[in-house]
Amino acid sequence: MTELFVDALRYPVRDRTRLDGTAICLVAVLLAGALLRVAGALWPDWAFAAPALLAVVPVLAFLGLVGGVLAGEGFPELLSPATATVAGRLLGVAVVYLVPPALAVAAVGYVAATGAIPAVISGVTTATLATVALLVVVVCSYLLPAAAVAAVREGLRAGLRREALAGTASGAYFLAWVGAAVLVVISWSLVATTASRSAAALVALCVFAYAHVAAAALVAEGVDRANYWSS
């Protein structure tokens, strides 16, 4: 696992091609962050919609580039139909797997805020509902990377089939998922805690881009190893 994790950390800067791809990812993240900050400053004026919509372009570019790493093919060309296709597949499978945990968390938040528990589940405590929501979040977040790899490689439908999750019971996938989860959680936490500080936010966005490229490489390798042993 240590070797796998170290290799993933080196992936973004291992050679000139990957370094250039990582740099483009960073530019996309910085551009998206700048546009979203402008949108936040304009809120609640309707003018916020312009920079918010423009931010979609670098976000999709970032997803397409990271999706190429997930596919095991390296960074694709930025302005190409293939990059747009991969970005769409990655976004689609992410929405499918993130909607259930989002709804579960929202439902628990509503119950906790209002104290109203539906009659069909009367007698169930808020703590129990919170535990169920946490399990939904963990399960969906665990399965999402494997589904994302299948989607970017074979199409969105492939990512939503049960066969895409075949390797998730292996130790190789579990260890890769743990390492990738650590990288992603740390990077998101840094972005959230530094959002109001310009210089620190810039550093956090750099870490964000680097961590997601490394996490994508780690997951791709973990899925490949899991498929090798399960075949």
Side-chain angles (χ1 to χ4, degrees):
M1 174 58 188
T2 301
E3 180 182 355
L4 183 64
F5 189 73
V6 172
D7 286 344
L9 287 178
R10 292 174 178 171
Y11 181 95
V13 293
R14 184 172 299 166
D15 53 46
R16 183 55 185 268
T17 301
R18 293 176 180 178
L19 181 59
D20 290 344
T22 303
I24 297 173
C25 285
L26 174 57
V27 171
V29 169
L30 292 176
L31 182 57
L35 289 170
L36 291 175
R37 175 164 287 197
V38 172
L42 293 174
W43 175 265
D45 191 284
W46 281 104
F48 90 96
L53 290 175
L54 286 175
V56 173
V57 176
V59 168
L60 290 178
F62 178 73
L63 289 177
L65 292 167
V66 172
V69 178
L70 274 175
E73 299 174 354
F75 296 104
E77 293 185 11
L78 181 60
L79 301 177
S80 68
T83 304
T85 299
V86 169
R89 291 174 178 177
L90 187 54
L91 181 61
V93 76
V95 168
V96 171
Y97 274 87
L98 293 179
V99 165
L103 292 177
V105 172
V108 172
Y110 173 79
V111 169
T114 63
I117 297 180
V120 293
I121 55 173
S122 58
V124 177
T125 65
T126 302
T128 301
L129 293 177
T131 302
V132 172
L134 178 61
L135 288 175
V136 172
V137 171
V138 172
V139 170
C140 288
S141 65
Y142 183 73
L143 299 178
L144 172 58
V149 170
V152 297
R153 292 179 177 179
E154 304 172 28
L156 181 57
R157 290 185 179 180
L160 301 180
R161 294 193 185 107
R162 184 176 60 183
E163 290 78 6
L165 310 177
T168 55
S170 71
Y173 177 80
F174 174 75
L175 293 175
W177 177 82
V178 170
V182 169
L183 291 172
V184 171
V185 170
I186 289 177
S187 65
W188 277 93
S189 299
L190 286 174
V191 170
T193 55
T194 60
S196 60
R197 292 172 287 176
S198 299
L202 182 62
V203 174
L205 290 175
C206 293
V207 173
F208 181 94
Y210 192 100
H212 279 69
V213 172
L218 185 57
V219 168
E221 181 65 22
V223 169
D224 287 339
R225 293 193 181 192
N227 292 337
Y228 174 81
W229 289 110
S230 60
S231 60

